[in-house]
Amino acid sequence: RRHPGFACQCTITSRLREVRAMFPFHGLMTLGVAIVSTLTAEGLSFYVVYSTENYRKTKKSIDASNKKIGRLKEELAALDPAKRKIKQRELSRIEHDVVKMDRDLAAMQSKSTMAVAVIALVILMTLSTAFSGVAVAKLPFVPLQFITALSHRGLEGDDMRDCSVAFLYMLCTMSLRGNVQKALGFAPPKSLMQVHAAQAQARFLKSKNLL
């Protein structure tokens, strides 16, 4: 009779084989390059933008204003028409200030955005040249046709699960960047549109007794 540990070891070995099939050596190299380039880009952004006093002060003001907008919207529903007009003017003024601060924040971020875009483009061109025509990964399913036009671009063969280096690199950097920003605590504040969407969703859930 086989020991339970043997069955567990077989399962782990099988999973590792599946991972190796999905991410061959070229795919793991691409993932490593994406991680290093993302950390480098975010480090540059932190040094140029996120660590400055002006950025931190503006971000803090936007967060505080967004919270105040949420409170005012809740108060408006309970006020009579005469007082509601006064609060509405205050709300409009704060929203206008948030839009202006959002523009200021975007202008600050543009300093590093161009540099990061140039670095990413150079790395992407280098990887595309080095792994031209090579399937660096295998997708777990056949994607939609408009996605395969990107994921299978430059590859030969009819297996639409094969993934090109450009698609894998872009996918990795896009998913890593937001997580790195959240982990390091300098993700950009929510825009006014995102705040309104979150508040509308909360009101809907409340009306359905789901919140």
Side-chain angles (χ1 to χ4, degrees):
R1 187 178 178 182
R2 291 183 177 179
H3 193 273
F6 178 77
C8 181
Q9 186 179 359
C10 289
T11 303
I12 294 171
T13 305
S14 175
R15 295 297 182 190
L16 287 173
R17 283 174 182 166
E18 289 177 11
V19 171
R20 279 201 298 268
M22 289 177 65
F23 289 98
F25 174 72
H26 296 134
L28 292 174
M29 186 182 290
T30 304
L31 180 60
V33 171
I35 292 171
V36 172
S37 63
T38 300
L39 290 174
T40 303
E42 291 308 314
L44 177 65
S45 297
F46 177 77
Y47 179 74
V48 175
V49 180
Y50 303 135
S51 62
T52 62
E53 185 65 29
N54 195 16
Y55 179 87
R56 289 180 178 179
K57 191 183 293 183
T58 306
K59 183 177 181 294
K60 191 175 179 180
S61 298
I62 291 174
D63 289 335
S65 297
N66 283 334
K67 288 178 182 177
K68 195 169 183 180
I69 287 170
R71 287 197 303 270
L72 283 172
K73 281 184 175 290
E74 290 177 3
E75 290 173 12
L76 278 171
L79 291 175
D80 57 80
K83 292 182 179 179
R84 189 180 299 171
K85 192 175 289 186
I86 298 170
K87 286 288 184 182
Q88 189 67 53
R89 280 200 296 267
E90 185 183 354
L91 179 64
S92 299
R93 180 182 58 78
I94 296 171
E95 286 180 340
H96 181 268
D97 291 341
V98 170
V99 171
K100 185 178 180 299
M101 286 187 290
D102 275 335
R103 283 200 298 264
D104 294 339
L105 213 60
M108 294 178 211
Q109 289 173 317
S110 65
K111 297 175 183 178
S112 64
T113 301
M114 286 298 295
V116 169
V118 170
I119 292 170
L121 185 61
V122 170
I123 293 173
L124 183 59
M125 290 174 66
T126 304
L127 288 173
S128 297
T129 303
F131 301 136
S132 178
V134 177
V136 297
K138 191 172 284 289
L139 301 174
F141 55 88
V142 177
L144 298 173
Q145 189 173 1
F146 75 94
I147 296 177
T148 55
L150 299 172
S151 64
H152 201 261
R153 187 175 181 179
L155 300 180
E156 296 180 358
D158 299 326
D159 190 354
M160 293 297 118
R161 292 173 61 203
D162 287 343
C163 179
S164 66
V165 67
F167 184 77
L168 180 62
Y169 177 75
M170 288 189 293
L171 199 65
C172 289
T173 51
M174 283 191 297
S175 57
L176 284 169
R177 189 178 184 192
N179 291 320
V180 168
Q181 288 179 341
K182 284 181 181 178
L184 297 179
F186 47 78
K190 289 182 179 180
S191 66
L192 196 58
M193 191 177 292
Q194 289 174 315
V195 172
H196 287 334
Q199 289 169 351
Q201 185 180 21
R203 285 196 299 271
F204 173 77
L205 292 173
K206 211 168 189 178
S207 66
K208 299 295 182 182
N209 294 324
L210 297 173
L211 190 64

